[in-house]
Amino acid sequence: MGLPIGRRTLFAVICAVAVASIYAAQPVLAQIGSDLGVPDADLGWIVAAGQLGYLAGLAVLVPLGDMIDRRKLMAGHLLLTAVGAVLAATATRTWVLLVGMVVAGLFAVVVQTTVAYAAALSTPEERGRNLGAVTSGVVIGILGARVAAGALAAVWGWRSVYVALAMLLVALACLVLTTLPPDARADRATYPQVLTSLGGLFRERLFLSRGLIAFFLFASFGALWSGLALPLAAAPWHLSTAQIGLFGLAGLVGALGATRAGRWADAGFASSVSGGALVLLAASWLAIGQTSWSLWLVVIGVVLLDFAVQAVHVSNQHLLTMTHPHRTSSVIGGYMIFYSLGSALGATATTTVFAGAGWDGSSVLGAAFAACALVVWASSRRVATEPHLPLSDPQKASRP
């Protein structure tokens, strides 16, 4: 059937906006805390709430994409994500904001359904290119949201960020229903079959090692982006939310610079790329920790960190999908559970440590997470470099 550029662009935008609903709070945490009276030590829970909702969605909602029309599923999830954004925008109490973040995160797993749908609509010859374009929307959403959220909050306050997100999500739901073809499938797996397939992955060494690397990788990532606004808003810089949001551009440059990681992985260097990038990740914290006297060093550190994170992330997914070509949705969904847990840990830990030890403490924490990921990589390198034959589809095997 193929995937025209218009649909490919729509899928990328859906990924960007859905992911932004989780990460848009990061550059405006200080403003939210001031408005709702949330202590600095507890601000990380605002981001973590979205990540925990996302975690639940990966486990219970993503499997629905193997059972029902993904077009309708995507539209429904986009609308429910908008409900979460509205709750956040109108919250006058912290618990209401947290509920809104959980709801938005829960249904933001529309990203995984969108990627699976893009793969289904692609011809074999263009699948890799299309998936690369669609998943680039995730990077743009994670990092670009910081720039847009910072600018909006500086002019209209932090609530305007969630109003804008809600409007975009509703518009995208309408576009999905009116422009995408029906997703009819003759051979459908049952919900228990998909869950069984997902659960079986957690007994495999390669999957667990890549998952643990992702856990520490995104804990380090979360330690930066959930905590960086705090020292930048404080003395001696006193940056505005718009200025803080601009640091997302540095992260975007780094992450998009790692797009060649997929080609390196195709050439057989996925494990080596992961190891080198994890060393770079740990080293980046030496520059990021210098917020007290040099913003330029922080910018350099941010570029390096996001380059490293994206390179490892792409390499991990390449190894897993190469090993499990018949159940890519399950393997990516399961892998992203580690991502979500790590991001939540990084978000909560960095603000807690910052309250007691300042940004120096948060920087040591981020570097420690990177070092843990490097240890896991080193101890599991042989597993990742062993030749893997494509495994059979357990769902098909269970059918007569």
Side-chain angles (χ1 to χ4, degrees):
M1 179 184 299
L3 191 63
I5 188 170
R7 286 180 186 163
R8 191 164 64 229
T9 302
L10 174 60
F11 285 164
V13 172
I14 289 170
C15 290
V17 175
V19 166
S21 67
I22 304 174
Y23 288 95
Q26 289 180 333
V28 297
L29 282 176
Q31 198 177 97
I32 294 173
S34 177
D35 186 21
L36 297 181
V38 182
D40 284 353
D42 296 332
L43 286 175
W45 284 106
I46 296 172
V47 178
Q51 291 292 345
L52 292 173
Y54 194 79
L55 171 64
L58 289 170
V60 301
L61 295 180
V62 171
L64 294 175
D66 291 329
M67 300 165 54
I68 61 179
D69 189 326
R70 279 173 287 206
R71 181 187 61 164
K72 295 179 180 178
L73 186 64
M74 288 166 59
H77 285 181
L78 286 166
L79 290 174
L80 289 168
T81 307
V83 171
V86 169
L87 283 173
T90 57
T92 57
R93 295 181 180 274
T94 304
W95 71 267
V96 178
L97 174 64
L98 293 176
V99 169
M101 295 300 296
V102 169
V103 171
L106 179 67
F107 293 101
V109 294
V110 66
V111 171
Q112 311 305 322
T113 305
T114 301
V115 172
Y117 196 18
L121 292 176
S122 301
T123 62
E125 295 77 16
E126 65 175 8
R127 183 166 295 140
R129 181 185 65 182
N130 287 341
L131 290 181
V134 172
T135 54
S136 69
V138 177
V139 178
I140 294 171
I142 292 175
L143 300 172
R146 295 179 175 88
V147 181
L152 283 172
V155 179
W156 292 299
W158 68 269
R159 297 178 189 276
S160 67
V161 175
Y162 291 97
V163 172
L165 280 171
M167 294 171 64
L168 286 171
L169 289 161
V170 171
L172 287 171
C174 294
L175 283 173
V176 165
L177 289 175
T178 57
T179 64
L180 296 183
D183 181 36
R185 282 159 292 163
D187 190 15
R188 300 179 182 179
T190 66
Y191 193 63
Q193 284 177 325
V194 175
L195 291 183
T196 299
S197 174
L198 176 61
L201 291 171
F202 288 84
R203 296 190 294 271
E204 297 182 7
R205 292 178 62 194
L206 177 67
F207 177 80
L208 283 176
S209 64
R210 295 297 108 180
L212 285 173
I213 289 172
F215 174 80
F216 291 116
L217 178 76
F218 284 99
S220 187
F221 180 85
L224 171 69
W225 288 113
S226 293
L228 185 60
L230 299 176
L232 295 180
W237 306 112
H238 300 290
L239 299 186
S240 68
T241 55
Q243 292 170 322
I244 293 171
L246 289 175
F247 279 79
L249 291 177
L252 189 59
V253 168
L256 293 180
T259 54
R260 290 190 62 87
R263 297 182 185 181
W264 296 332
D266 286 337
F269 301 115
S271 182
S272 298
V273 167
S274 294
L278 288 172
V279 171
L280 188 63
L281 175 66
S284 71
W285 281 100
L286 294 174
I288 293 168
Q290 310 308 313
T291 54
S292 62
W293 67 280
S294 175
L295 291 183
W296 281 112
L297 279 176
V298 176
V299 169
I300 292 171
V302 166
V303 172
L304 294 178
L305 181 142
D306 282 277
F307 175 90
V309 167
Q310 184 66 4
V312 177
H313 190 43
V314 170
S315 299
N316 280 350
Q317 293 181 92
H318 178 275
L319 282 169
L320 291 173
T321 54
M322 178 184 67
T323 307
H324 301 279
H326 300 298
R327 45 175 176 167
T328 54
S329 293
S330 293
V331 76
I332 294 301
Y335 166 80
M336 293 296 286
I337 289 175
F338 290 94
Y339 148 89
S340 189
L341 286 171
S343 296
L345 173 63
T348 53
T350 191
T351 53
T352 301
V353 171
F354 179 84
W359 188 243
D360 288 343
S362 293
S363 297
V364 171
L365 176 72
F369 285 141
C372 288
L374 189 58
V375 168
V376 175
W377 170 83
S379 64
S380 62
R381 188 178 183 187
R382 186 179 64 83
V383 177
T385 55
E386 287 175 349
H388 293 282
L389 295 176
L391 302 183
S392 61
D393 184 350
Q395 295 170 4
K396 290 181 179 180
S398 66
R399 299 183 190 121

